Amino acid sequence: MARTNTGLAYPDRFYAAASYAGFGGSPNSANKDVASKFSNEVALILYALYQQATVGPCNVPKPSPWSPVEQGKWKRSASSFAASGSVSIYLLKNNIDDNNVNSLGSERDLDAFYHLYSWQQLGNMVSAEAMRLFVKILEEEDPGWYSRTSNSVESVRDVQMNHNSNGEPIIENGNSFAETKTISAENGSLMEAQDKDIVLEGLGPVVVYDQWVSPPIKGQRPKARYEHGAAVVQDKMYIYGGNHNGRYLSDLNVLDLRSWTWSKVEASIESKSEESPSPVNIASCAGHSLIPWENKLLSIAGHTKDPSETIQIKAFDLQTGTWSILKTYGKAPVSRGGQSVTLVGSTLVIFGGQDAKRTLLNDLHILDLETMTWDDFDAVGVPPSPRSDHAAAVHAERYLLIFGGGSHATCFNDLHVLDLQAMEWSRPKQQGEIPSPRAGHAGVTVGENWFIVGGGDNKSGASETVVLNMSTLVWSVVTSVEGRVPLASEGLSLVVGSISGEDILVSFGGYNGRYNNEVNVLKPSHKSTLQSKIMEAPVPDSVSAVQNATNPTRDLESDFEVGQEGKIREIVMDNTDSEHMKSKGEETSELIIATLKSEKEELESSLNKEKLQSLQLKEELTQAETRNTDLYKELQSIRGQLAAEQSRCFKLEVDVAELRQKLQTMETLQKELELLQRQKAASEQASLNAKQRQGSGGVWGWLAGSPPQKADDA
């Protein structure tokens, strides 16, 4: 993507780029440095553009050791190359056949041939154009080069060009271009840097590509916070709620992205209505999501001091400036915070979070904003583990991507994809520079690129700003910061704004040991940093679940463009004459046709391989389904046996209880029997004693002094 630059920016940036690429020392060392960093094709064109920019048009004679035959081949190759009207390393390499290469002798001769040849074909290109193309190619190959340039670049630029060394603002056409504070750090402290590659809109900030900068903010900044909600509506960023020192906030602030001025929104509460007869209570919250919808800002879920049982949807009307609670239908999800809320068409897809009891969730719910009706889905496949403070994005209006997040014990860096049409979870293989585990990060999408900023793992903050190409699932690093800066915080917000028609990323707040209320801006270069490497390598099979979701078949032309990216790097010169464009030789046309045929054959071969692999996967799937069916039947049989055993066990338990009861009864009867036996024995003994006393009554009576009476005579 072309940048809107001032005319004085290119020399400054060119010499920085040249020093970074390896130019600036001796010719031999420069060649080695460039060759070690870039492919042969890229090193060659960088060399040619550097010579054209610093020396001018090539007037070096052809090497004298060449034979007339080789000089003829040189002229023939040069004429066909010049007829193309472009700087094309691919055509250059293919216009030299094996005989040319073999006849040159040593590798050093071959390098000299390439360098001289490519430089000569630039013709009378002006120095400024060569500088522009040099910087453009370097940024395509290494978009993060500027962040890795050392402080020595400044001295190189001072020697090689005469620029404003006093650091005064650049003035062009009567406009003053202020310099910026670039976010960089050394030993944890912020440093100031200067850059002239600027885009200015009114009093807006100066923004460099793929670097975080701090714009000149005006107005009263909001209270420092994290876990707040953020959204952009018509060049204004709204910040609502959040957490500061354990206190939930309820204020609403707005930042004008054109003037970079903060202001506080004096919101009012909507009076009670027929639909909501009870007074509306807009509680302070944190961990919620702020989504723009029509002329409203919707605040979904979040932690509150007195949580409700289910998720509430609060709406701020941008026209009337009033808060209200929207009435929903269906079964609302349990209240939570740290969830992800993604707008897909006219629906909100809500995943995960943590409820008021600190229980982690991984459930999935959908709210239709047209009817305000809740619905929950049990998607097939293996869902992400319960988590909160993760990031979510939607690709092609069909695929929901979930990345990272944390549980009570650990943080994650896994990636999960939900097909919203098939309602099926999958976990594709990630490629490239996979980010470290993190939670509390923020993400936004720009085209098919998903930018992730901040987050942490409970030990340190994540310093890298990373981007995921959602079509290829390849990660790359955009830039990095050092130290405890707001960009390496948890709970920060990230939104997409616009300056001069170009997208910008705006971050705010966060917590990294202290609460922040800083604003930082990054202008992405709108291309994947690993684009050339992706195109050279085959796309992994695990990416097929996401790549080309809405267009599974591609035409020959698009496949040719993809196949040639990384092989053909053709920079069309802006000042090419139309006559040169019309006079393309037959040799070039035949080469292109042959290349197209070769690419077509390769694509057909790849398609056949993919079909064969698809058949094999279908067979494996059928076998897996058969095994699954058998296992299910076996499971059902085991379940039946288990139920029978459980019933038998229950009967045995009943019998044991009855026997225990009988045993207790027998023990009671035994005790009663023993008592009766003792009573019987006592009774018999008493009877025996009575009989004995009766038999010896005279003796006993005489001894007692009461002799027995004599019977009276009748």
Side-chain angles (χ1 to χ4, degrees):
M1 174 176 288
R3 304 182 188 181
T4 307
N5 292 288
T6 65
L8 298 178
Y10 284 120
D12 191 13
R13 199 169 185 84
F14 164 74
Y15 285 107
S19 177
Y20 173 80
F23 297 100
S26 63
N28 293 335
S29 63
N31 292 342
K32 294 179 180 178
D33 293 341
V34 177
S36 63
K37 292 182 178 179
F38 307 100
S39 63
N40 293 335
E41 292 84 354
V42 176
L44 174 57
I45 189 60
L46 288 177
Y47 170 87
L49 291 172
Y50 177 79
Q51 294 293 329
Q52 189 77 11
T54 56
V55 178
C58 180
N59 56 7
V60 179
K62 293 185 290 294
S64 57
W66 287 7
S67 65
V69 175
E70 300 308 322
Q71 291 184 10
K73 293 180 179 179
W74 160 270
K75 293 179 180 179
R76 183 170 68 253
S77 299
S79 62
S80 64
F81 175 79
S84 67
S86 62
V87 181
S88 174
I89 302 307
Y90 178 81
L91 296 180
L92 167 64
K93 299 282 285 186
N94 285 275
N95 279 334
I96 304 171
D97 55 25
D98 295 337
N99 294 330
N100 293 81
V101 175
N102 294 333
S103 62
L104 290 176
S106 66
E107 182 178 357
R108 184 175 182 181
D109 294 335
L110 180 61
D111 290 338
F113 173 74
Y114 281 166
H115 289 183
L116 178 60
Y117 189 95
S118 62
W119 181 17
Q120 186 181 47
Q121 303 317 306
L122 296 178
N124 294 322
M125 179 189 293
V126 296
S127 177
E129 179 65 11
M131 290 181 180
R132 184 184 73 84
L133 292 177
F134 186 98
V135 175
K136 181 177 181 180
I137 293 175
L138 179 60
E139 291 185 343
E140 288 179 350
E141 292 296 319
D142 189 355
W145 71 270
Y146 196 77
S147 64
R148 292 187 286 274
T149 53
S150 63
N151 294 330
S152 61
V153 175
E154 295 292 338
S155 61
V156 174
R157 293 188 299 184
D158 291 340
V159 173
Q160 295 185 343
M161 65 174 291
N162 182 18
H163 66 285
N164 188 355
S165 60
N166 296 327
E168 300 178 356
I170 298 176
I171 300 177
E172 182 181 7
N173 298 330
N175 296 325
S176 177
F177 296 88
E179 299 185 357
T180 68
K181 295 180 179 180
T182 302
I183 300 297
S184 59
E186 184 175 1
N187 298 329
S189 60
L190 293 177
M191 300 167 53
E192 292 186 1
Q194 298 179 354
D195 186 80
K196 301 294 193 301
D197 187 9
I198 61 176
V199 173
L200 192 64
E201 179 179 355
L203 299 177
V206 182
V207 181
V208 296
Y209 284 84
D210 294 332
Q211 286 295 306
W212 287 103
V213 298
S214 179
I217 299 297
K218 295 181 293 184
Q220 183 65 37
R221 295 174 182 262
K223 182 188 294 292
R225 68 193 66 197
Y226 82 121
E227 291 185 340
H228 50 277
V232 170
V233 178
Q234 296 180 351
D235 295 327
K236 293 183 178 180
M237 180 178 70
Y238 292 85
I239 299 296
Y240 169 63
N243 188 324
H244 177 82
N245 288 335
R247 295 179 56 189
Y248 297 142
L249 306 176
S250 62
D251 55 337
L252 180 63
N253 299 271
V254 59
L255 176 65
D256 191 318
L257 298 181
R258 292 183 176 271
S259 62
W260 299 99
T261 303
W262 278 109
S263 59
K264 186 174 182 179
V265 179
E266 297 298 336
S268 60
I269 306 299
E270 184 181 58
S271 59
K272 59 183 181 180
S273 61
E274 295 180 358
E275 295 183 357
S276 179
S278 60
V280 176
N281 180 22
I282 305 300
S284 304
C285 62
H288 53 286
S289 302
L290 196 64
I291 304 294
W293 172 252
E294 296 180 343
N295 62 338
K296 296 182 177 64
L297 292 175
L298 303 182
S299 176
I300 300 98
H303 295 297
T304 58
K305 183 178 179 180
D306 299 315
S308 60
E309 293 183 358
T310 59
I311 287 180
Q312 287 188 341
I313 308 297
K314 296 181 288 187
F316 179 77
D317 194 311
L318 295 171
Q319 296 179 353
T320 63
T322 58
W323 280 105
S324 62
I325 296 180
L326 300 182
K327 184 178 180 180
T328 60
Y329 305 90
K331 184 179 180 181
V334 65
S335 63
R336 66 194 65 197
Q339 71 293 321
S340 63
V341 179
T342 310
L343 181 63
V344 183
S346 61
T347 61
L348 295 179
V349 182
I350 300 175
F351 172 78
Q354 180 176 268
D355 65 13
K357 298 179 181 179
R358 300 188 73 248
T359 300
L360 293 169
L361 307 169
N362 66 343
D363 51 349
L364 185 68
H365 302 270
I366 294 180
L367 176 64
D368 189 332
L369 295 177
E370 299 289 346
T371 62
M372 296 304 295
T373 303
W374 287 103
D375 199 357
D376 56 344
F377 289 91
D378 293 328
V380 299
V382 180
S385 59
R387 66 191 62 199
S388 65
D389 299 326
H390 51 277
V394 63
H395 175 54
E397 294 295 310
R398 174 175 177 177
Y399 298 98
L400 178 70
L401 284 74
I402 303 292
F403 171 74
S407 65
H408 298 311
T410 185
C411 295
F412 308 107
N413 65 342
D414 49 355
L415 178 67
H416 298 262
V417 177
L418 173 65
D419 188 333
L420 294 173
Q421 291 185 8
M423 293 307 296
E424 180 177 3
W425 285 105
S426 62
R427 186 175 177 180
K429 183 179 179 181
Q430 305 177 69
Q431 301 290 325
E433 302 178 60
I434 301 176
S436 59
R438 64 192 65 194
H441 46 287
V444 292
T445 59
V446 179
E448 64 178 8
N449 293 324
W450 187 16
F451 292 87
I452 300 292
V453 178
D457 58 0
N458 297 324
K459 296 180 181 179
S460 61
S463 60
E464 305 89 3
T465 296
V466 297
V467 59
L468 174 69
N469 186 303
M470 293 185 290
S471 295
T472 60
L473 299 185
V474 177
W475 289 99
S476 55
V477 177
V478 179
T479 186
S480 297
V481 295
E482 295 181 2
R484 297 176 65 178
V485 297
L487 293 165
S489 301
E490 296 184 25
L492 77 170
S493 62
L494 186 68
V495 297
V496 178
S498 176
I499 290 183
S500 299
E502 292 188 277
D503 295 318
I504 59 171
L505 309 184
V506 184
S507 73
F508 172 79
Y511 178 79
N512 59 357
R514 67 180 184 88
Y515 296 90
N516 299 296
N517 60 353
E518 302 294 329
V519 176
N520 295 297
V521 180
L522 180 142
K523 184 192 296 182
S525 57
H526 290 264
K527 54 181 174 291
S528 173
T529 53
L530 294 181
Q531 182 178 4
S532 60
K533 297 180 181 179
I534 296 169
M535 296 308 176
E536 292 175 2
V539 178
D541 296 337
S542 58
V543 179
S544 60
V546 177
Q547 189 178 17
N548 298 325
T550 57
N551 185 19
T553 58
R554 297 175 294 177
D555 55 16
L556 179 61
E557 181 179 358
S558 62
D559 279 320
F560 173 72
E561 293 175 355
V562 173
Q564 293 302 314
E565 184 70 27
K567 298 178 182 178
I568 301 178
R569 186 166 300 281
E570 184 173 7
I571 310 301
V572 180
M573 296 165 51
D574 297 337
N575 58 351
T576 304
D577 295 334
S578 59
E579 295 180 357
H580 289 169
M581 297 299 293
K582 296 179 181 179
S583 61
K584 292 184 178 180
E586 295 181 358
E587 184 177 356
T588 303
S589 300
E590 292 177 357
L591 176 62
I592 294 177
I593 293 174
T595 304
L596 286 171
K597 290 181 178 179
S598 176
E599 290 293 329
K600 180 181 179 182
E601 293 176 356
E602 292 180 1
L603 290 173
E604 290 177 349
S605 177
S606 300
L607 180 60
N608 292 332
K609 292 180 180 179
E610 291 295 332
K611 288 181 178 179
L612 180 59
Q613 186 176 6
S614 178
L615 292 176
Q616 293 176 351
L617 291 176
K618 286 181 179 180
E619 292 179 358
E620 293 178 0
L621 179 61
T622 302
Q623 295 175 359
E625 290 177 350
T626 302
R627 290 195 299 268
N628 186 38
T629 302
D630 295 338
L631 291 174
Y632 180 76
K633 292 179 179 179
E634 184 177 354
L635 177 61
Q636 292 297 106
S637 176
I638 293 175
R639 285 179 176 175
Q641 296 176 5
L642 180 61
E645 291 296 328
Q646 288 178 342
S647 177
R648 181 171 171 270
C649 181
F650 177 75
K651 292 180 180 179
L652 291 175
E653 290 178 352
V654 172
D655 293 341
V656 169
E658 292 178 352
L659 291 174
R660 285 179 178 175
Q661 186 176 3
K662 291 180 179 179
L663 180 60
Q664 291 177 355
T665 304
M666 290 179 64
E667 290 177 353
T668 303
L669 293 175
Q670 181 67 29
K671 291 180 180 179
E672 292 178 355
L673 178 60
E674 291 177 354
L675 179 60
L676 291 174
Q677 287 177 349
R678 286 196 297 271
Q679 291 177 353
K680 180 181 178 182
S683 177
E684 291 178 350
Q685 184 66 36
S687 177
L688 180 60
N689 292 337
K691 289 179 179 181
Q692 289 178 353
R693 285 196 299 270
Q694 185 177 2
S696 57
V699 177
W700 287 105
W702 181 79
L703 291 175
S706 57
Q709 297 179 359
K710 296 181 179 180
D712 293 334
D713 296 331

